[in-house]
Amino acid sequence: MTVEKPNTSSLLQGATAPAPEAFPGEQAAFGAEAPLRLDCGVDLGPFTLAYQTYGTLNAAKTNAILVCHALTGDQFCAERHPLTGRPGWWELMVGGGRPIDTDRYFVLCVNVIGGCMGSTGPKEVDPATGKPWGTRFPIVTIADMVRAQRLLIDRLGIEKLFCVIGGSMGGMQVLQWAARYPERLHAAVPIATAAYHTAQNIAFHEVGRQAIMADPDWDEGNYLDSGKVPRRGLSVARMTAHVTYLSETALHEKFGRRLQDRRGLSYGFEADFQVESYLRYQGSSFVDRFDANSYLYITRAMDYFDLAAEYGGVLARAFEGTSVRFCVVSFTSDWLFPTSEAKHIVRALNAAAADVSFVEVESDKGHDAFLLDEAEFHETLNGFLNGCAEPLGLPIRDLVPWDPTRGDPTLDRVT
């Protein structure tokens, strides 16, 4: 996909930050003179945000869409990933003729702070010690991620985003944006998400974190100092999480009880079944592109997310007086962030007299459905964005059918 990018180099001159490892894409430095106060009470600065842009920012700067990524996602939502070679994790959604149309919109995707794809996080160097932060890095929250994103939006001179959109953890960021900075966006699309992390989801995350920390190569979080990688623990964490992204129906249809490259049972502990082989592949490939400590930090940020807690326990208060237009989306087979959680958000928005649309998409693909080729979902989003664009004088357009010759952009899901 060929996209045009605005020349932003002159806009991004500012505070210097510890240089992260060489990484393709855009980067901006913040916080040298005015550090970012984190929810944990620590002042972070200087720090770097890594991001990618697609499409062209119009002269009025009214066509910008911020895409917020999920737990293991990154800024490379609509281009081949520089580390894995895989297609962008949302190429089905972002691109020319797609719902988030780069021929009409300027699309921005930022790697969250605490991440490992160029933004400052536990794998980057602590200027005070000259060594990787490791677990000395301060705990970050969803609100901290959004505050950092706002600094980048300010640097780019964008007064008001056309839309903020994201699924799963990205949806949490969308809700935080709408609650904290309603004057900075026209529309918000939280997808397959919730206003707080449930006990069940916290439990799954804790299993993953304990798997990482139980790996001897984790070395109390200092594995980068010793040149180690807690591959086994991080792989198990990814395997456990990946099961939650799929529905039972999807697992059955994709794998059933079919054997993997064998005619009979091995009567051992190799990967007899296709589903076992698939999960092992997901675990091993994940280790090659993601940092174990970042996994600890970002899952913790999701666990701490509880938007209503910031407003006296009443979620509707988060949206009082908002002028933001909302489209809340859930999927019927998503048991990780079920429709009941989406309806909780919708009820709060209704109580706040917000302009809200709600769509439950029929799908058997589970939580991962927001990353996949779901026609109803894509048509819904395209219609919503068209409806928001028309009053602003932005162009509207029908979807262009996905070209299967471009390959499958969902081979390596990044939920």
Side-chain angles (χ1 to χ4, degrees), residues 190-255:
I191 305 162
T193 193
Y196 63 92
H197 223 209
T198 65
Q200 175 177 261
N201 290 348
I202 294 171
F204 277 117
H205 277 175
E206 177 62 3
V207 170
R209 287 191 293 265
Q210 288 299 320
I212 291 170
M213 292 187 287
D215 188 324
D217 288 338
W218 184 61
D219 194 19
E220 300 299 317
N222 300 314
Y223 52 88
L224 293 175
D225 291 340
S226 55
K228 301 175 182 177
V229 177
R231 300 185 63 90
R232 290 165 293 182
L234 182 56
S235 179
V236 171
R238 174 61 170 173
M239 291 168 66
T240 301
H242 199 75
V243 172
T244 71
Y245 304 149
L246 305 174
S247 68
E248 193 280 333
T249 300
L251 281 170
H252 177 74
E253 290 182 353
K254 189 175 183 68
F255 304 109

Side-chain angles (χ1 to χ4, degrees), residues 306-326:
D306 182 354
L307 189 58
E310 301 179 37
Y311 299 89
V314 181
L315 184 58
R317 291 178 183 169
F319 308 112
E320 286 181 348
T322 186
S323 61
V324 177
R325 292 183 62 179
F326 292 84

Side-chain angles (χ1 to χ4, degrees), residues 16-295:
T16 58
E21 64 181 84
F23 210 83
E26 309 281 355
Q27 293 183 339
F30 301 93
E33 297 180 359
L36 178 67
R37 172 56 64 96
L38 303 176
D39 282 340
C40 67
V42 172
D43 289 330
L44 180 65
F47 66 93
T48 296
L49 289 179
Y51 66 101
Q52 292 295 97
T53 63
Y54 309 90
T56 302
L57 187 62
N58 63 18
K61 298 185 178 181
T62 58
N63 69 332
I65 294 180
L66 175 63
V67 170
C68 300
H69 69 73
L71 167 59
T72 65
D74 51 49
Q75 65 271 38
F76 300 102
C77 65
E79 63 188 285
R80 195 160 293 276
H81 198 283
L83 295 184
T84 67
R86 298 288 190 185
W89 57 267
W90 230 12
E91 271 198 7
L92 281 169
M93 186 66 69
V94 181
R98 307 309 302 151
I100 304 175
D101 188 350
T102 52
D103 294 332
R104 294 184 288 160
Y105 305 122
F106 173 66
V107 181
L108 173 72
C109 190
V110 188
N111 187 220
V112 297
I113 55 171
C116 56
M117 294 294 173
S119 290
T120 298
K123 67 177 287 190
E124 308 301 343
V125 173
D126 176 0
T129 65
K131 296 181 178 181
W133 279 96
T135 52
R136 294 184 300 274
F137 191 74
I139 293 294
V140 296
T141 65
I142 299 296
D144 294 329
M145 296 173 183
V146 168
R147 291 187 192 101
Q149 292 165 0
R150 182 185 61 81
L151 293 175
L152 178 59
I153 299 303
D154 291 344
R155 185 75 64 81
L156 290 170
I158 300 171
E159 293 185 6
K160 195 165 189 176
L161 292 160
F162 170 61
C163 185
V164 182
I165 181 171
S168 197
M169 185 187 82
M172 293 178 173
Q173 295 167 64
V174 172
L175 293 172
Q176 188 73 53
W177 261 101
R180 188 66 63 88
Y181 307 113
E183 73 286 355
R184 300 298 301 272
L185 62 155
H186 287 285
V189 186
I191 305 162
T193 193
Y196 63 92
H197 223 209
T198 65
Q200 175 177 261
N201 290 348
I202 294 171
F204 277 117
H205 277 175
E206 177 62 3
V207 170
R209 287 191 293 265
Q210 288 299 320
I212 291 170
M213 292 187 287
D215 188 324
D217 288 338
W218 184 61
D219 194 19
E220 300 299 317
N222 300 314
Y223 52 88
L224 293 175
D225 291 340
S226 55
K228 301 175 182 177
V229 177
R231 300 185 63 90
R232 290 165 293 182
L234 182 56
S235 179
V236 171
R238 174 61 170 173
M239 291 168 66
T240 301
H242 199 75
V243 172
T244 71
Y245 304 149
L246 305 174
S247 68
E248 193 280 333
T249 300
L251 281 170
H252 177 74
E253 290 182 353
K254 189 175 183 68
F255 304 109
R257 289 183 52 82
R258 291 185 292 277
L259 299 179
Q260 176 69 23
D261 298 329
R262 64 190 71 213
R263 294 184 178 181
L265 301 177
S266 69
Y267 295 98
F269 297 103
E270 297 302 317
D272 280 6
F273 297 98
Q274 288 182 6
V275 67
E276 294 175 311
S277 178
Y278 171 75
L279 288 175
R280 293 185 186 192
Y281 164 76
Q282 288 292 329
S284 63
S285 62
F286 182 62
V287 169
D288 294 332
R289 70 172 179 86
F290 212 83
D291 177 63
N293 281 337
S294 280
Y295 193 88

